């Protein structure tokens, strides 16, 4: 991937993520992790090569919670369904279910500013869950959270994944987090970034 200004961000990348695989992407700052995720999401157009992403919905969780401050948790979570033209009743049900799954039941009417950082991140995850994505992309979602909240969210995302077995890619700076969370760890290095290692992780979690 070469940006219009000439910056080369990725080279010779060949990665396939299958349904039921949760791949962590680690590597030094600037090696192209976010770029790779943004290419997968279609936020960037590749300067070369091809990017293919399933046929269903895609969930994307950004580094910051990016909730709309004037909307309640419920209104934020149902936004993707609203934009996709899902009928009001149906999207309410989907949003409430997603809110429940991330442990925010009871907070539907709260505004983002009334929630803790961890709760805002959970609302963001719920928002990405509403359309039941077949592909889930996380761009270093828990970097700004305290260690305890982060560990709790690691466990919760891990359990969402074990339940739904979507194809997931999780960008992180933390190698322990990568190993704990995923079924595979891909290490990118260099500028432009290349795949330095692609390692299966077999912690043998019990499937839920
Ligand atoms: P990481 O997520 O691994 O820290 P990034 O994907 O953010 O790395 O960035 C990879 C490289 O691409 C960096 O050198 C960065 O400065 C550059 N880059 C990212 N986005 C753009 C852009 N829109 N235009 C030009 N260069 C960019
Ligand atoms: P998190 O680990 O998600 O950041 P906290 O540790 O901040 O959550 O909060 C722990 C619990 O305290 C939450 O699950 C919630 O039940 C309650 N809580 C946190 N913030 C609020 C709030 N603004 N109003 C009511 N209850 C809250």
């Amino acid at each position: 991937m070469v940006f219009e200004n000439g910056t080369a961000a990725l080279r010779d990348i060949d990665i396939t993520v299958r349904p039921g695989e949760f791949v962590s992407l680690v590597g030094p700052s600037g090696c192209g992790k976010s770029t790779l995720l943004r290419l997968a999401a279609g936020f960037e157009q590749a300067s070369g090569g091809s990017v293919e992403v399933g046929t269903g919905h895609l969930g994307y969780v950004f580094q910051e919670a990016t909730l709309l401050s004037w909307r309640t948790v419920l209104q934020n979570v149902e936004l993707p369904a609203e934009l996709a033209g899902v009928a009001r009743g149906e999207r309410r049900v989907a949003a409430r279910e997603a809110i429940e799954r991330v442990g925010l039941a009871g907070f539907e009417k709260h505004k983002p500013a009334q929630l803790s950082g961890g709760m805002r991140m959970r609302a963001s995850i719920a928002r990405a869950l509403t359309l039941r994505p077949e592909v889930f992309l996380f761009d270093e979602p828990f970097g700004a959270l305290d260690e305890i909240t982060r560990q709790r969210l690691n466990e919760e995302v891990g359990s969402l994944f074990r339940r739904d077995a979507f194809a997931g890619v999780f960008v992180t700076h933390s190698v322990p987090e990568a190993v704990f969370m995923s079924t595979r760890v891909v290490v990118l290095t260099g500028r432009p970034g290349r795949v330095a290692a692609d390692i299966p992780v077999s912690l043998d979690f019990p499937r839920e």
Side-chain angles (χ1 to χ4, degrees):
M1 171 68 178
V2 180
F3 287 102
E4 273 173 20
N5 67 2
T7 306
L10 295 165
R11 183 166 294 161
D12 301 332
I13 302 289
D14 184 1
I15 300 175
T16 301
V17 182
R18 296 193 168 74
E21 270 193 309
F22 197 13
V23 175
S24 281
L25 209 53
V26 299
S29 258
C31 71
K33 303 181 295 296
S34 294
T35 301
L36 188 55
L37 218 59
R38 295 170 60 78
L39 284 166
F43 299 156
E44 303 276 0
Q45 184 103 50
S47 56
S50 69
V51 179
E52 281 172 52
V53 179
T55 51
H57 288 292
L58 184 139
Y60 198 100
V61 178
F62 298 87
Q63 285 183 18
E64 278 113 45
T66 64
L67 300 169
L68 302 177
S69 61
W70 60 91
R71 284 187 157 223
T72 64
V73 167
L74 183 64
Q75 290 166 342
N76 268 288
V77 171
E78 68 179 353
L79 186 62
E82 198 178 319
L83 295 174
V86 177
R88 193 186 165 86
E90 199 181 323
R91 67 176 193 247
R92 278 279 137 105
V93 171
R96 285 186 189 283
E97 190 189 311
I99 287 170
E100 188 149 328
R101 284 175 60 188
V102 300
L104 278 185
F107 293 91
E108 290 84 354
K109 296 205 165 120
H110 284 60
K111 294 281 178 64
Q114 296 173 282
L115 304 178
S116 69
M119 294 168 92
R120 281 201 288 272
M121 188 44 81
R122 283 189 221 175
S124 281
I125 294 170
R127 181 180 55 188
L129 277 171
T130 39
L131 289 175
R132 301 174 192 283
E134 121 189 283
V135 177
F136 224 123
L137 307 175
F138 297 86
D139 189 0
E140 227 185 298
F142 309 142
L145 301 174
D146 66 86
E147 201 52 40
I148 290 174
T149 305
R150 184 176 179 139
Q151 267 181 31
R152 206 188 306 160
L153 285 173
N154 284 345
E155 282 162 23
E156 286 173 11
V157 168
S159 109
L160 289 176
F161 170 72
R162 287 191 293 284
R163 212 170 101 169
D164 288 6
F166 43 78
V169 181
F170 187 91
V171 170
T172 176
H173 266 111
S174 157
V175 171
E177 183 171 79
V179 172
F180 176 77
M181 296 286 288
S182 55
T183 62
R184 215 171 116 201
V185 178
V186 171
V187 184
L188 293 185
T189 54
R191 289 187 188 203
R194 298 164 192 259
V195 176
D198 189 333
I199 310 151
V201 180
S202 56
L203 286 182
D204 247 340
F205 282 117
R207 296 264 156 189
E208 279 165 20

